[in-house]
Amino acid sequence: MARKILILNALVFSLLLFSCEDKREILPVEKTASVAFSIPSASIPENATQGLEIKLSLSVPASGDGAVDLQLLGGKSNSRFVTQPAFDANFKLRLPVSKGTTELSFKVIPVDDHLYNGTAEFRIELVNVVGDLVKGSNKFMDLSIIDNELSGKLKYFETTGMGSYRQEFEYSHLGKINRVAWQSNLNLALAGQYQYLYNDLGNIVRINTVPDQSQQIFFYEGGKLRRSEKSNSNDFTEYDVYSFDGNNYLTGIESFRRIPGGSDQLTSTTVFSYFSSGSVHTITTYAFEAPVSYRVIKKVTYEDYIQKSNPLPYYQDIPGLPIQHYLPQRMIVEEHGTTFTYQFEYQFDGNNQVKKRITTGPSGVETTQFHYY
């Protein structure tokens, strides 16, 4: 009997032991909270005065008080935005963590400087944690401040058809064309750029051409464009004299050649006529033949326009010489006794800006795609 009681007690003890072990295994295990940015990137227009809240998430509620340290990388000035709370002079920001916290945040408020600065890119890193916390996998946040002044400006266009041609535009802080880079594969693969310089009144004063290092310099009288000179590696200088009417429409260009030791020679005259809308109707170029005779060497006629803004309104890509505020539909070129007719069809984006132009002419079809900031 005593033997049976001992065996029974042993069985009961074993059951109690196993029961305690099972209860110990299912006890909740306390986890350490990991901290990470809620999203890897965000963007905000610089005129968004309400700002943007940047959040960091904790995987579980914080078990105690602590802190999270952020760093604006690259030592960049944050003059394009401020934050609440603010980064310090070393571009660091500490966010306190209270027990039970599951989310942290700070606010980004853009600075609208009313300048054409382009989109600014910043990166913020979660560099350190204090307390019972660990850094999560998403330690970086990429922030874009979008320049609202530049928004809608032409960024580049590309034409494809018989070959390809591309121009890409950069702008100064005041919104003037600062540089145009071009690539051409129409015949040979070529590339270059035009660099633009303006005076204090915003008038174009020089265009530098790279890589041939030629220059076109502009001169003004009474605040109005009067003349431009083209210098190159030749032993002569070409210059143009401009005429405008009372509406400040370009009406004529006289082209001269200056030869060292000789007199200036008139080589050609170009005459412009306009529709009442202000867009050019005809451009007729006459060659001068001594002593006083002229002959037409080229005439370009635009017959119809769509009343939609033209992103490239300038004559010979010269800022300050706008001749086509709207988009032409049909162009006729008469040259060397031959007539060439071109038809233009357009597609527009949601902002009513032209995104595609299809040109049909004697040599086939070309397609131009327009892209904007």
Side-chain angles (χ1 to χ4, degrees):
M1 186 67 173
R3 179 181 175 84
K4 289 181 179 180
I5 292 173
L6 289 173
I7 293 172
L8 181 61
N9 288 338
L11 289 173
V12 172
F13 178 77
S14 297
L15 289 173
L16 288 172
L17 179 64
F18 285 127
S19 175
C20 290
E21 288 179 354
D22 289 344
K23 289 180 180 178
R24 184 184 62 192
E25 288 177 356
I26 63 173
L27 286 175
V29 178
E30 179 126 4
K31 294 183 179 180
T32 299
S34 64
V35 188
F37 284 104
S38 300
I39 54 176
S41 62
S43 61
I44 182 172
E46 70 173 11
N47 61 339
T49 56
Q50 74 278 8
L52 173 69
E53 189 174 21
I54 304 297
K55 296 180 179 180
L56 297 95
S57 300
L58 280 69
S59 59
V60 295
S63 60
D65 293 345
V68 170
D69 293 328
L70 306 178
Q71 174 78 57
L72 181 62
L73 296 183
K76 296 180 181 178
S77 169
N78 57 359
S79 60
R80 295 293 298 271
F81 67 92
V82 296
T83 60
Q84 296 176 347
F87 279 80
D88 65 19
N90 295 316
F91 308 105
K92 292 182 178 180
L93 172 61
R94 169 163 285 194
L95 297 177
V97 177
S98 301
K99 183 178 179 180
T101 297
T102 58
E103 187 175 79
L104 307 172
S105 69
F106 64 98
K107 195 169 189 178
V108 171
I109 303 173
V111 176
D112 191 353
D113 54 14
H114 305 290
L115 297 175
Y116 293 76
N117 283 327
T119 297
E121 304 286 347
F122 300 91
R123 170 164 276 199
I124 302 170
E125 182 182 3
L126 195 167
V127 292
N128 185 49
V129 292
V130 177
D132 192 17
L133 302 167
V134 295
K135 290 187 288 185
S137 58
N138 195 10
K139 297 183 292 184
F140 297 96
M141 169 71 188
D142 292 318
L143 175 66
S144 298
I145 306 296
I146 300 172
D147 183 22
N148 64 301
E149 283 85 15
L150 194 58
S151 179
K153 284 274 195 179
L154 182 63
K155 186 173 185 180
Y156 70 92
F157 73 85
E158 188 167 17
T159 299
T160 56
M162 304 299 291
S164 66
Y165 182 77
R166 174 188 172 105
Q167 281 193 355
E168 187 167 351
F169 299 80
E170 294 181 1
Y171 299 87
S172 71
H173 291 336
L174 298 177
K176 301 288 186 180
I177 297 175
N178 198 41
R179 187 177 75 95
V180 176
W182 59 269
Q183 297 176 353
S184 175
N185 288 291
L186 296 178
N187 295 308
L188 299 173
L190 300 172
Q193 60 180 277
Y194 307 115
Q195 300 168 343
Y196 296 79
L197 180 67
Y198 301 84
N199 62 19
D200 290 345
L201 298 177
N203 297 322
I204 183 71
V205 293
R206 189 169 73 235
I207 301 176
N208 297 325
T209 302
V210 178
D212 63 8
Q213 303 304 319
S214 64
Q215 288 187 341
Q216 188 171 8
I217 302 174
F218 299 85
F219 302 89
Y220 294 81
E221 293 180 6
K224 291 187 176 181
L225 179 61
R226 176 59 178 164
R227 182 169 53 89
S228 69
E229 290 188 358
K230 300 175 184 178
S231 60
N232 46 49
S233 58
N234 298 317
D235 59 351
F236 60 84
T237 297
E238 295 177 329
Y239 67 93
D240 295 329
V241 177
Y242 302 98
S243 300
F244 299 86
D245 66 11
N247 295 316
N248 207 32
Y249 295 160
L250 175 65
T251 56
I253 301 175
E254 290 184 310
S255 298
F256 294 83
R257 176 176 295 179
R258 178 182 299 149
I259 300 175
S263 60
D264 294 357
Q265 299 176 355
L266 176 64
T267 58
S268 66
T269 298
T270 302
V271 178
F272 301 78
S273 69
Y274 293 84
F275 290 102
S276 58
S277 63
S279 287
V280 70
H281 182 201
T282 62
I283 305 172
T284 308
T285 301
Y286 301 85
F288 176 74
E289 297 178 345
V292 291
S293 63
Y294 295 84
R295 62 182 177 88
V296 176
I297 58 173
K298 185 176 183 180
K299 182 177 182 179
V300 180
T301 302
Y302 295 94
E303 291 191 339
D304 301 293
Y305 282 88
I306 297 176
Q307 299 300 299
K308 299 288 182 79
S309 294
N310 185 355
L312 297 169
Y314 303 115
Y315 179 66
Q316 294 183 340
D317 297 326
I318 301 174
L321 292 181
I323 62 170
Q324 286 186 313
H325 297 285
Y326 301 110
L327 296 170
Q329 290 182 280
R330 180 180 168 92
M331 178 179 73
I332 300 172
V333 179
E334 301 170 77
E335 189 174 21
H336 305 303
T338 305
T339 300
F340 306 93
T341 301
Y342 300 87
Q343 296 286 154
F344 305 104
E345 297 179 15
Y346 302 94
Q347 295 178 13
F348 300 90
D349 62 18
N351 296 319
N352 217 22
Q353 293 178 300
V354 58
K355 67 177 183 179
K356 180 186 287 189
R357 181 185 68 203
I358 301 172
T359 304
T360 304
S363 299
V365 177
E366 287 185 340
T367 300
T368 301
Q369 300 276 0
F370 298 87
H371 301 265
Y372 302 87
Y373 284 94

